[in-house]
Amino acid sequence: MTVDKIEQPKKALSHIFYSKILFVFSLIVLILAIFSSRISFPRLSLIATHLTGSANTITATSRSAITTTSTPKMASSQYAKELEVAQLAVQRAARLTKRVFHEKAKGTVSKDDKSPVTIGDFGAQALIISALKANFPSDEIVAEEEAAQLREDTPLRDQIWELVKSTKLDDEAAEQLLGGAIKDADAMLEIIDQGNSKGGAKGRIWTIDPIDGTKGFLRGGQYAVCLGLMVDGDVKVGVLGCPNLPVDDAAPLAADIGTNATDEGRGVIFSAVQGQGATSRPLGTAGLAEGKSIAMKPITEMSNASFCESVEAGHSDQGVAGQIAQKLGITKPSVRMDSQAKYGSIARGAGDIYLRLPTSKSYQEKIWDHAAGDLIVREAGGQVTDVSGNRLDFSVGRTLAENKGVIAAPAAVHDQVIKVVQEVLGQQ
Ligand code: AMP
Ligand code: MG
């Protein structure tokens, strides 16, 4: 027997052996593919599918696993630091505003446009900007207030400085993350003025409304500390601190929601990151409390829904809202509350539809009044547009110059609401 003849059967045997190993290996990979698609390891199932060479055999289940689970997983770390800093900054600023809220004299002055501003507005803006600059020094900021008035009025400046220097979170690590204390009163004024960006469509720009709903704040009602991050004109992170809303997401929106709020069982932070859903958590005084995912309440019967609108008749046309409600078959009275607490309330399903109907042709909505709320509602399953059905455009400067009014509703009924809004406005 030649060596060749001995080698032939050996080769045949090893072929059988290797093909068996290959078969077992493919079987394991196949099992892995099926298993991983069930327990949502999209990447693993993709690798397995590639290895078995059967891209065409991806099942419907594994397809949906790939699309529904990979997005949040991949995105979960995106904007994580921005979200943490933003929520802690809002929590600290809200602590300051609450101190002012409980004072009889709130240090109110009138702005050039005759709207009120308090020591709480200036103090909260200083604390938020200082936290943002400590973490993201090259980001731009569009904030509502400016320090010009305080440079002329030293007693007012000193009153604000007393508040700012004595407001801290009861958590050393959180305070450190926010960059600690501001150096002195002059540094505080400079910080307040760093919110003077023109806004626009390029780069990272934060929007701040230190006390949204100042009139509600003065009345003892709802107000919100609002912070949003836009990247290239698109809102990526939104945070609303609402010290006077119930902590409980399921608490119904009572008609007196905006009056005589006490701290008992109240205070909530709403937040959202684009593509990652919306959350609520109790507003605390130290680090961040545990958060819960929130979602809008589906509207199955319009007759069971109600509108959320401004308390101030000058901010939203309540007469037109009444006509729209009638046409939609809504019989319940509107819930009126100040500030972006309206966005937070509908996002967690406590309210249904937020209407803001223009009262004048010339008024342009401010981006800091809507950026955070717009994202939080959309991430909770809602749609937010102007009265014509166009998405709010935050990329054109400090105002929403391209939009008129705001309609926020669960995505499934938004078109229906817009249709009626246009019918009623068309008849005006
Ligand atoms: P709200 O508490 O929802 O009524 O909104 C408060 C915000 O309304 C304030 O922060 C102002 O920037 C804004 N505002 C002031 N004047 C008007 C107006 N004429 N129309 C709409 N919003 C306004
Ligand atoms: Mg405001």
Side-chain angles (χ1 to χ4, degrees), residues 2 5 34 51 55 83 87 106 147 182 192 197 212 215 225 229 235 248 281 313 332 336 340 342 348 370 394 396:
T2 62
K5 276 184 182 156
I34 294 164
L51 280 174
L83 179 65
Q87 289 185 102
K106 296 182 170 62
I182 295 172
I192 290 173
S197 161
D212 180 34
K215 288 180 178 165
V225 179
L229 170 64
V235 188
D248 182 6
R281 72 185 76 235
K332 291 187 181 167
R336 291 183 181 153
Q340 289 186 63
K342 292 187 276 297
R348 64 170 164 177
H370 302 283
F394 293 93
V396 289

Side-chain angles (χ1 to χ4, degrees), residues 144 209 212 369:
E144 180 168 13
D209 192 342
D212 180 34
D369 280 335

Side-chain angles (χ1 to χ4, degrees), residues 59 62-63 73 77 80 123 126 134 143 157 189 203 238 240 247 267 286-288 310 319 329 361 416 425:
T59 59
S62 63
R63 252 186 236 283
K73 273 201 160 178
S77 60
R157 181 200 74 169
L189 298 188
L240 293 175
V247 175
L288 294 175
S310 283
K361 282 209 160 59
Q416 187 188 348
L425 289 179

Side-chain angles (χ1 to χ4, degrees), residues 111 113 115 144 209 211-216 219 222-223 309-317 337-343 354-360 362-366 368-370:
K111 289 200 277 192
D113 64 359
S115 65
E144 180 168 13
D209 192 342
I211 295 185
D212 180 34
T214 309
K215 288 180 178 165
R219 256 192 264 105
Q222 293 299 327
Y223 72 96
E309 62 183 4
S310 283
V311 175
E312 296 296 326
H315 295 176
S316 182
D317 194 322
M337 67 167 94
D338 301 279
S339 84
Q340 289 186 63
K342 292 187 276 297
Y343 281 111
Y354 169 19
L355 289 194
R356 192 177 191 87
L357 301 160
T359 54
S360 84
S362 58
Y363 184 77
Q364 294 184 350
E365 297 285 346
K366 309 295 185 283
W368 55 78
D369 280 335
H370 302 283

Side-chain angles (χ1 to χ4, degrees), residues 176-199:
Q176 261 184 22
L177 179 65
L178 298 186
I182 295 172
K183 200 169 92 230
D184 55 33
D186 285 335
M188 176 186 79
L189 298 188
E190 270 164 37
I191 286 170
I192 290 173
D193 277 339
Q194 285 179 329
N196 63 356
S197 161
K198 289 187 173 64

Side-chain angles (χ1 to χ4, degrees), residues 61-258:
T61 350
S62 63
R63 252 186 236 283
S64 74
I66 290 164
T67 48
T68 56
T69 60
S70 63
T71 314
K73 273 201 160 178
M74 285 191 299
S76 68
S77 60
Q78 219 188 356
Y79 298 113
K81 185 176 178 200
E82 285 82 351
L83 179 65
E84 189 186 12
V85 170
Q87 289 185 102
L88 285 171
V90 163
Q91 182 150 286
R92 184 171 69 173
R95 207 169 182 195
L96 182 147
T97 62
K98 281 171 70 168
R99 290 172 63 190
V100 181
F101 182 81
H102 292 299
E103 293 285 329
K104 262 212 173 67
K106 296 182 170 62
T108 312
V109 283
S110 234
K111 289 200 277 192
D112 293 347
D113 64 359
K114 302 281 182 285
S115 65
V117 58
T118 72
I119 51 172
D121 297 63
F122 291 116
Q125 178 161 321
L127 283 179
I128 295 175
I129 296 183
S130 119
L132 295 179
K133 285 290 171 188
N135 285 280
F136 314 108
S138 50
D139 288 4
E140 286 188 32
I141 299 170
V142 170
E144 180 168 13
E145 311 305 340
E146 55 178 21
Q149 232 172 333
L150 312 183
R151 294 183 200 280
E152 314 276 289
D153 189 339
T154 313
L156 187 65
R157 181 200 74 169
D158 292 346
Q159 224 184 329
I160 297 162
W161 174 236
E162 281 306 312
L163 263 178
V164 166
K165 74 174 180 199
S166 58
T167 304
K168 292 184 172 50
L169 290 173
D170 298 331
D171 181 287
E172 194 44 45
E175 265 302 314
Q176 261 184 22
L177 179 65
L178 298 186
I182 295 172
K183 200 169 92 230
D184 55 33
D186 285 335
M188 176 186 79
L189 298 188
E190 270 164 37
I191 286 170
I192 290 173
D193 277 339
Q194 285 179 329
N196 63 356
S197 161
K198 289 187 173 64
K202 285 253 166 342
R204 289 169 51 107
I205 306 175
W206 294 84
T207 64
I208 304 174
D209 192 342
I211 295 185
D212 180 34
T214 309
K215 288 180 178 165
F217 179 77
L218 293 170
R219 256 192 264 105
Q222 293 299 327
Y223 72 96
V225 179
C226 316
L227 183 53
L229 170 64
M230 312 186 311
V231 180
D232 298 334
D234 205 16
V235 188
K236 300 292 183 186
V237 180
V239 176
L240 293 175
C242 301
N244 291 339
L245 276 185
V247 175
D248 182 6
D249 288 329
L253 280 194
D256 64 349
I257 186 83

